[in-house]
Amino acid sequence: MKISNLRNSTRRRASAAVALGAVLALTATACGDDGSGGGGDEGAEGSGKGKIVFWDNNGGVRTEIWKEVIADFEKANPDIDVQYVGIASTEYQSKVDTAIQGGGLPDVGGISASMLAGFAAQDALETLDFRLAKSPLNGKLNKDMIESMRAAGGGDDKLYSIPTSANNGVLYYRTDLFEKAGLEEPTTWDLFYKAAEKLTNKGKNEFGYTIRGGAGSIAQALDAAYGQSGITSFWDSSGKKTTVNDPKNVKALEKYAALFKKVTPAADLNNDFTKMVAQWDSGTIGMLNHNLGSYQDHVKALTTDKFRGIPQPIGPGGKRVQVSNPVDGVGMFKSSKNKEAAWKFIEFATSAESSSKFNESAGQVPAHADAAKDDWISKAEPTKLAADALSDGSTSIVQLPYYLPDWNTISKADNEPNFQKVLLGDMSSKEFLDGMAEQLNEAQAEWQEQKG
């Protein structure tokens, strides 16, 4: 793809989204349509009783634990019935965008920082500041997570999603395979590359690493680039140009992408996180980059005797640099006809007890301060190590621009196919990052113009 083909893509994207929404609106009933309307519909407070619809933004992966939380809620609130709709994370944004245009939005949905700005820009979300101010949750939620949600809202400093948890990048490695090969723990990028090569034996279907080439690949690729380059800011000092295509990031991505098929399975080209995790859990692959969310899957498949999850490798100058993981949360759609009941559910789902139960299952850091003190965190080593790394000054976080309404589209629909071309050798890392940088700079300029 030529860079010139990317020009004005941000402006075209808005009209294309409206057209797509009109075409797909006929399928809205398949997404849990309860007749609650679309974006811009003001909704109503309702009676605080009856049915509400909840869309899970990580259906399948989190279905079981959400159903437990819902059962607890319905037991405590017998006059409210919560209809659960699980939607795969890879499909969630398109399902919501379709419902915003065509109707059929739920009352409550999972709203992470990565997609928040796009939904808010379409006037689909209810602001939750005044509800939180009157709630027992006020003052009990992690301040940094609250601020991350506010910042991700698109610049109006309003709160559209109540945080449930924070995630963090983790390098999982097979301790049994490392011990057998006499390898050191991959705490630095040099040790990581050394282990990836030594643990690979294609004749025996053994690989040193599994790379994410399918859905969700961009954040992992950027994590590897910034982690090796040591660059600590997503924008330059002017705040107008991204550092994504800095020569140091280009060089780092070239080295990382060269791992494909050399020390990784060829199937990695199309692997999203569920396929990648399943492949690692059932095979003989040395290392996996994912986040805290898959920890429990590894425990079930391997037991803690065969793997360990540590913070991302250390880069230049002994410093660890990571890109930010989006804070996850739950929000209320403005079109809800029963906002009182919807808020009761949000309040319950983010309470200390529910937060602890949910995050123990997910292996993530709870947003509720009381839940963050629970004993299970010290027993879940990756969660504890991640929390320590984020608080002890050893890690610099490159904040991704979740506040850009086009961030999710740029980082997923526009560039995931291009990253596959990089892995296949059909596009250079420089061309890939230059193209993404052009889109990001344009989106940043438009956002700054609208804000100021």
Side-chain angles (χ1 to χ4, degrees):
M1 178 183 289
K2 298 294 184 183
I3 295 175
S4 58
N5 291 340
L6 298 173
R7 297 185 191 281
N8 300 317
S9 60
T10 306
R11 296 184 180 90
R12 291 198 304 269
R13 196 174 302 121
S15 58
V18 173
L20 179 63
V23 172
L24 296 181
L26 295 176
T27 67
T29 52
C31 309
D33 186 356
D34 68 333
S36 59
D41 184 341
E42 294 297 326
E45 282 298 308
S47 66
K49 301 178 182 180
K51 187 184 84 169
I52 59 171
V53 178
F54 167 64
W55 282 8
D56 176 8
N57 63 344
N58 203 357
V61 178
R62 300 282 175 255
T63 295
E64 186 176 338
I65 184 59
W66 269 120
K67 286 190 173 181
E68 284 188 36
V69 171
I70 289 170
D72 291 343
F73 173 76
E74 290 179 337
K75 184 177 180 180
N77 299 269
D79 53 358
I80 302 176
D81 174 48
V82 181
Q83 179 184 332
Y84 171 88
V85 179
I87 300 172
S89 61
T90 53
E91 300 175 5
Y92 190 77
Q93 183 184 4
S94 64
K95 295 284 188 182
V96 174
D97 284 338
T98 298
I100 290 173
Q101 298 298 326
L105 284 168
D107 300 276
V108 180
I111 308 290
S112 74
S114 64
M115 63 185 73
L116 200 161
F119 298 159
Q122 297 177 78
D123 196 29
L125 299 174
E126 180 84 356
T127 56
L128 301 175
D129 299 87
F130 82 94
R131 297 179 194 271
L132 179 61
K134 298 186 295 182
S135 169
L137 291 172
N138 193 26
K140 287 290 188 177
L141 299 175
N142 182 288
K143 293 180 180 179
D144 290 335
M145 295 189 206
I146 288 284
E147 289 309 308
S148 291
M149 283 299 194
R150 289 191 188 281
D156 60 8
D157 202 37
K158 294 179 180 178
L159 186 65
Y160 295 102
S161 182
I162 302 298
T164 56
S165 51
N167 218 328
N168 200 48
V170 178
L171 178 60
Y172 294 103
Y173 74 97
R174 289 283 298 271
T175 51
D176 55 341
L177 301 182
F178 269 69
E179 184 177 348
K180 183 179 178 181
L183 289 165
E184 294 181 61
E185 187 173 65
T187 53
T188 69
W189 282 100
D190 287 342
L191 291 172
F192 164 83
Y193 282 107
K194 179 182 177 181
E197 186 170 349
K198 189 166 184 179
L199 291 172
T200 298
N201 186 331
K202 294 182 181 179
K204 294 184 178 180
N205 203 35
E206 297 172 351
F207 298 93
Y209 184 59
T210 174
I211 198 168
R212 188 168 180 171
S217 61
I218 301 303
Q220 183 171 305
L222 293 180
D223 214 12
Y226 280 96
Q228 294 174 82
S229 71
I231 297 171
T232 57
S233 176
F234 194 78
W235 302 101
D236 68 8
S237 57
S238 71
K240 297 179 180 179
K241 291 187 177 181
T242 180
T243 58
V244 156
N245 60 336
D246 184 283
K248 291 181 180 178
N249 278 336
V250 172
K251 183 178 179 180
L253 188 63
E254 287 173 346
K255 187 174 183 179
Y256 181 72
L259 295 173
F260 178 62
K261 285 178 48 173
K262 180 182 177 184
V263 300
T264 80
D268 283 359
L269 182 69
N270 296 305
N271 278 357
D272 59 13
F273 86 90
T274 54
K275 294 176 183 175
M276 183 177 66
V277 166
Q279 177 179 263
W280 192 72
D281 285 345
S282 62
T284 51
I285 300 174
M287 294 177 290
L288 160 77
N289 267 121
H290 191 230
N291 56 46
L292 295 168
S294 59
Y295 173 65
Q296 294 296 343
D297 294 322
H298 309 320
V299 173
K300 292 175 184 176
L302 300 169
T303 76
T304 54
D305 295 333
K306 292 184 179 180
F307 82 97
R308 194 173 184 219
I310 61 175
Q312 299 286 45
I314 292 170
K319 190 75 174 177
R320 181 184 297 108
V321 178
Q322 295 180 216
V323 300
S324 57
N325 271 264
V327 174
D328 206 4
V330 283
M332 185 191 306
F333 287 95
K334 183 181 288 189
S335 58
S336 171
K337 300 299 190 295
N338 199 348
K339 293 178 183 178
E340 184 178 341
W343 175 250
K344 287 180 182 178
F345 177 67
I346 292 174
E347 202 170 41
F348 185 92
T350 55
S351 66
E353 183 177 352
S354 297
S355 181
S356 184
K357 178 180 286 191
F358 178 86
N359 284 289
E360 182 175 10
S361 173
Q364 298 173 172
V365 181
H368 199 289
D370 293 342
K373 300 173 185 176
D374 286 351
D375 291 342
W376 66 264
I377 292 180
S378 62
K379 297 174 183 176
E381 185 187 36
T383 304
K384 184 177 185 303
L385 291 176
D388 291 344
L390 292 174
S391 62
D392 65 7
S394 66
T395 304
S396 293
I397 301 295
V398 177
Q399 296 294 340
L400 297 180
Y402 302 124
Y403 58 84
L404 293 177
D406 284 328
W407 165 250
N408 238 26
T409 303
I410 292 171
S411 65
K412 291 183 180 293
D414 289 355
N415 284 292
E416 284 176 357
N418 287 342
F419 183 63
Q420 290 182 319
K421 292 180 181 180
V422 174
L423 295 179
L424 292 170
D426 296 333
M427 177 182 282
S428 71
S429 292
K430 185 178 188 305
E431 185 178 5
F432 167 69
L433 292 176
D434 281 347
M436 185 186 293
E438 182 172 353
Q439 291 176 292
L440 288 164
N441 292 341
E442 182 182 355
Q444 176 79 340
E446 290 182 356
W447 179 79
Q448 289 179 333
E449 182 179 352
Q450 292 170 2
K451 185 181 178 183

